[in-house]
Amino acid sequence: MSAARESAAVAVAEAPATRVKAADGKAPAAQPAGGKLINIDNGGTLTDICVIDGATVYRTKTVTTPYDLSKCLFDGLVKASRVIYGKDDLLSLLLSTEYIRYSTTQGTNALVERKGPRLGLILGGTLTADALQRGEHQRGLFSGLVGARVETIDAKLEGEALEAAAIKAINALSSGGANRIVVAYGGTARDGGEAQLKRLLLRKFPPQLLGAIPVLYSHEIVDDADDARRAWTALFNAFLHPAMERFLYNAEHKLREYRTRNPLLIFRNDGHSARVAKTTAVKTYSSGPRGGAEGAKALAEHYGFKHLLSMDVGGTTTDIGLVEDGVVRAHQYGKVEGVETSFPLCDVVSAGVGGSSIIKVENGKIRVGPESVGGAPGPACFGLGGKEATMTDAFLLMGLLDPASFFGGELKIDAARASAAITERVAKPLGLSEQQAAQAMEDAWVAKIAASLKDYTGIKPDTTLAAFGGAGPFVVCKVAEAIGVKRIIIPGLAAVFSAFGIGFSDIAHRFEAPLTTNDAAGLQACREQLLERAQRAMFAEGAGLEQCRIEETLRIVEGKDEHIVTLKDGKLTASLPARARVSLALQALKPISHATLSGSFGKAGKPAVSASKRATLSGDLPLYRVEEQLAGATAEGPAVLEEAFFTCRIEKGWRFEINEAGDILLSRA
């Protein structure tokens, strides 16, 4: 689906649900017996649903309803049931489903656009506001999330003086507009200081009172000796939590009414899933893009790509990831917009450029995003009140979109409105014709995506670019040329690939705690504590520890030096430094049913069949419908390659090959 299509769906129509079949009639994925797998990727513009049933994959998209995300979740499930059974039959779908895995980009989009709760921050001990703003990324985020809403409590205060200071801090933050407060202390007494303040505030501001402001304490989120990193983790968690809390429990409750086999699973940024009640909000950051990363990892393994750079282009962001030598790039201290957190997270960068990005002129230059029109009011060409110029409008004027067939003919787009928006916002300020302005918009859009990719990683001779998401394939050849890549993979499930990728995850929980003594006895005591926590967590998932794979690592911190040691058979192979801070991380993982991939490239090719042409600014181009091609079909650009959910413009000098799985390989001549 094109960039314009993705943003279009939210404004008027919904994408039809389809059963995915490859060119030769075979399905592109399979799943072990045991029930259907439902994967849901909730984006800011559209919500993607992918249902894997044995040798068949069903997919659909539905409008994201930000006022009630459970609505678009169930709308999508109903649509999926319609294509599977020929009628609305949600009950049969859910009763025949083994697992439902869900991810969302709501938190990612909220941070990109700085739309979320107004955070207040109470600091204590040795931690200062300056310590949280030592880098450019930290300063920018601190300004956007916290700003001037900061109060400091003197660690020396006790009794009535402490009580007075705490009340003054809460009142000042609430008067300043804070609707969620984080408490973060620094120094060796941080846990005790935060706990003492919590007891005081619970007594003075009981949470059951109307208007009570939620207060989060950093030591309850994570154990981390780095005070600034722990404080930032708590701030991110506080910012992301409301977006998840508002609907997840409601959705889970509704699913229980249908007597689903297993609870709703939330897919996390670490590549695993867990129940709603067992999921920390910050771990959902970029969970949708991590689904794409898991899918990219499967692609890399299946096709033997050693250096696979992925770009998942949606309506608001382009999410960038890397799979190198079969491993998804991640950080032990995962970063959120360049700021370290206390949790391991996938290294996914979300650039503020997507199919619905607002494009305008500032200081004589074109500026792309990060603001997005989303689904309301949508691009100008939809006629729903939008007046900003977007890539949707530009693609329409350039002839890349056909109003007669756009979105299956369900959505009527207006070229006159697109022309008016581009003329007013871009063409006049730059002294260009509307066609020149549209081309300049595309150039700027491609340049921003290309720059984000090059900033993320170095390009190697064997780098392959994976393009997916609604807007990923559209002008991917131009993006690849801009970064020096000569090979592109477009998955057959490109438009719902992040949802599909969620299907490679397992249920897992990870716990970490410091050792009380740096010896075998201290290790065993810590292990027993963590195993007890893991047992409770997995029991809530309906599994015993005997069904799980246990993985253990030690984190050893000596001054500024830190290293990770993987334990084999749970035993120490060397003595631990006596003065180091050592913590044990224990992960319990229960394998569950996965999706699989099929298909290969390089077989004897046959010419692709083009039944029509697409009139564009650069001339009439052959139009190839993916669904009409046989396995092994090939052709050269310039051309337009299109299927039910995406459009790809093949540039001159590029050749495409479609295999039996429906995956598409583009190669530079």
Side-chain angles (χ1 to χ4, degrees):
M1 192 162 96
S2 71
R5 282 188 178 175
E6 179 163 2
S7 57
V10 296
V12 177
E14 295 184 356
T18 61
R19 173 184 294 186
V20 179
K21 292 289 185 182
D24 63 355
K26 295 180 180 179
Q31 171 235 342
K36 298 181 181 67
L37 303 176
I38 298 179
N39 305 324
I40 303 166
D41 179 24
N42 167 245
T45 304
L46 292 177
T47 293
D48 299 343
I49 292 91
C50 184
V51 181
I52 304 170
D53 184 13
T56 304
V57 177
Y58 303 92
R59 59 181 177 171
T60 188
K61 289 174 176 281
T62 191
V63 177
T64 293
T65 49
Y67 57 88
D68 181 5
L69 293 179
S70 64
K71 182 180 186 304
C72 55
L73 186 155
F74 281 90
D75 286 347
L77 292 176
V78 169
K79 289 181 67 179
S81 74
R82 192 180 307 147
V83 73
I84 294 172
Y85 303 111
K87 61 179 181 179
D88 293 356
D89 194 347
L90 180 58
L91 180 61
S92 292
L93 173 60
L94 294 179
L95 289 178
S96 63
T97 294
E98 184 178 10
Y99 290 106
I100 302 175
R101 284 171 274 202
Y102 177 92
S103 74
T104 180
T105 59
Q106 290 300 307
T108 306
N109 294 343
L111 276 170
V112 167
E113 301 185 82
R114 301 294 188 265
K115 294 179 179 178
R118 296 181 299 277
L119 300 182
L121 178 62
I122 295 178
L123 297 173
T126 60
L127 187 59
T128 65
D130 288 342
L132 300 178
Q133 302 178 78
R134 289 175 177 164
E136 181 181 351
H137 292 295
Q138 289 181 322
R139 288 191 292 272
L141 275 169
F142 196 90
S143 175
L145 304 187
V146 181
R149 296 183 294 273
V150 183
E151 295 291 325
T152 301
I153 293 181
D154 190 339
K156 298 178 182 179
L157 296 178
E158 296 179 355
E160 293 182 359
L162 176 60
E163 181 176 304
I167 294 173
K168 180 181 178 181
I170 293 291
N171 289 338
L173 292 175
S174 60
S175 298
N179 51 27
R180 193 164 284 257
I181 294 174
V182 171
V183 176
Y185 275 49
T188 56
R190 60 182 179 272
D191 292 3
E194 290 185 17
Q196 181 183 25
L197 189 62
K198 179 179 181 179
R199 290 191 296 270
L200 191 156
L201 294 180
L202 284 175
R203 188 172 69 250
K204 290 295 180 179
F205 302 96
Q208 69 269 19
L209 295 181
L210 293 174
I213 299 176
V215 182
L216 292 85
Y217 300 85
S218 71
H219 78 281
E220 294 183 343
I221 303 297
V222 66
D223 176 75
D224 189 346
D226 188 305
D227 296 325
R229 189 167 58 212
R230 190 186 67 257
W232 269 114
T233 303
L235 286 169
F236 287 135
N237 199 69
F239 188 86
L240 298 173
H241 191 272
M244 306 299 296
E245 183 183 44
R246 276 194 295 268
F247 85 100
L248 283 178
Y249 282 105
N250 182 39
E252 187 176 46
H253 178 71
K254 289 181 180 179
L255 287 170
R256 285 175 182 167
E257 294 178 357
Y258 288 92
R259 299 181 181 179
T260 50
R261 294 192 198 179
N262 293 295
L264 176 66
L265 296 177
I266 306 304
F267 179 71
R268 305 187 306 251
N269 187 293
D270 60 9
H272 302 304
S273 299
R275 288 186 59 188
V276 176
K278 297 295 181 181
T279 299
T280 304
V282 69
K283 292 185 179 181
T284 69
Y285 175 77
S286 280
S287 63
R290 180 61 193 255
E294 289 300 304
K297 178 182 176 182
L299 276 179
E301 180 179 358
H302 182 72
Y303 290 116
F305 299 137
K306 298 297 184 183
H307 195 256
L308 184 64
L309 176 62
S310 64
M311 65 175 205
D312 176 3
V313 189
T316 304
T317 63
T318 293
D319 301 311
I320 302 167
L322 179 68
V323 180
E324 189 166 17
D325 295 327
V327 178
V328 174
R329 191 162 92 175
H331 294 301
Q332 182 63 36
Y333 294 113
K335 295 183 179 180
V336 173
E337 291 206 12
V339 176
E340 279 192 348
T341 71
S342 302
F343 293 117
L345 296 176
C346 175
D347 184 17
V348 172
V349 171
S350 297
V353 51
S356 299
S357 294
I358 295 172
I359 302 178
K360 54 188 174 183
V361 176
E362 290 185 352
N363 301 320
K365 296 182 179 180
I366 290 180
R367 178 172 178 257
V368 182
E371 301 85 5
S372 170
V373 297
C381 63
F382 297 155
L384 298 175
K387 297 184 182 298
E388 302 291 347
T390 70
M391 279 311 304
T392 303
D393 302 300
F395 286 147
L396 176 58
L397 288 189
M398 297 172 74
L400 298 178
L401 303 178
D402 182 359
S405 61
F406 180 73
F407 211 65
E410 295 181 36
L411 178 63
K412 303 303 178 183
I413 50 179
D414 188 341
R417 292 181 185 273
S419 174
I422 290 176
T423 298
E424 184 66 27
R425 305 294 187 184
V426 182
K428 284 184 177 180
L430 293 178
L432 302 174
S433 69
E434 64 180 35
Q435 289 83 7
Q436 290 172 327
Q439 184 60 60
M441 290 166 66
E442 180 188 300
D443 292 343
W445 194 76
V446 167
K448 185 169 182 178
I449 293 176
S452 299
L453 291 168
K454 288 192 289 187
D455 286 344
Y456 179 81
T457 188
I459 304 302
K460 299 181 178 182
D462 64 346
T463 297
T464 301
L465 180 62
F468 48 88
F474 211 109
V475 288
V476 65
C477 293
K478 286 285 190 183
V479 174
E481 290 172 0
I483 65 175
V485 165
K486 297 183 178 181
R487 184 169 61 181
I488 301 165
I489 180 76
I490 302 175
L493 292 164
V496 295
F497 194 65
S498 289
F500 180 67
I502 296 169
F504 294 96
S505 68
D506 293 308
I507 297 175
H509 287 286
R510 182 181 183 275
F511 304 97
E512 185 169 355
L515 272 61
T516 54
T517 57
N518 292 355
D519 53 23
L523 174 62
Q524 184 58 28
C526 188
R527 175 184 293 118
E528 290 175 359
Q529 173 195 345
L530 297 184
L531 282 172
E532 183 178 349
R533 294 171 63 185
Q535 185 175 34
R536 290 198 300 267
M538 297 310 297
F539 178 79
E541 306 286 1
L545 285 185
E546 68 278 2
Q547 298 173 272
C548 301
R549 184 170 70 244
I550 304 298
E551 301 171 353
E552 295 178 301
T553 57
L554 286 177
R555 187 196 311 273
I556 304 173
V557 181
E558 294 183 272
K560 295 183 179 180
D561 296 328
E562 176 177 334
H563 59 280
I564 304 296
V565 176
T566 300
L567 293 180
K568 296 182 179 180
D569 300 322
K571 297 179 181 179
L572 291 173
T573 57
S575 60
L576 296 172
R579 301 195 176 195
R581 187 180 192 275
V582 183
S583 60
L584 174 65
L586 184 147
Q587 177 172 275
L589 183 147
K590 178 196 174 187
I592 60 176
S593 300
H594 282 191
T596 60
L597 296 176
S598 61
S600 61
F601 292 110
K603 297 180 180 178
K606 57 199 75 176
V609 178
S610 173
S612 61
K613 292 183 178 292
R614 177 70 52 84
T616 71
L617 286 181
S618 56
D620 292 347
L621 302 181
L623 176 65
Y624 296 95
R625 297 291 308 177
V626 175
E627 298 91 339
E628 297 172 0
Q629 310 305 318
L630 296 176
T634 65
E636 292 186 359
V640 174
L641 185 65
E642 193 168 65
E643 63 107 68
F645 286 87
F646 70 77
T647 300
C648 176
R649 190 177 68 209
I650 311 296
E651 306 296 339
K652 183 179 180 181
W654 288 84
R655 169 180 289 273
F656 71 82
E657 176 187 351
I658 304 174
N659 70 12
E660 67 272 24
D663 295 334
I664 303 163
L665 186 68
L666 306 180
S667 302
R668 178 82 167 158

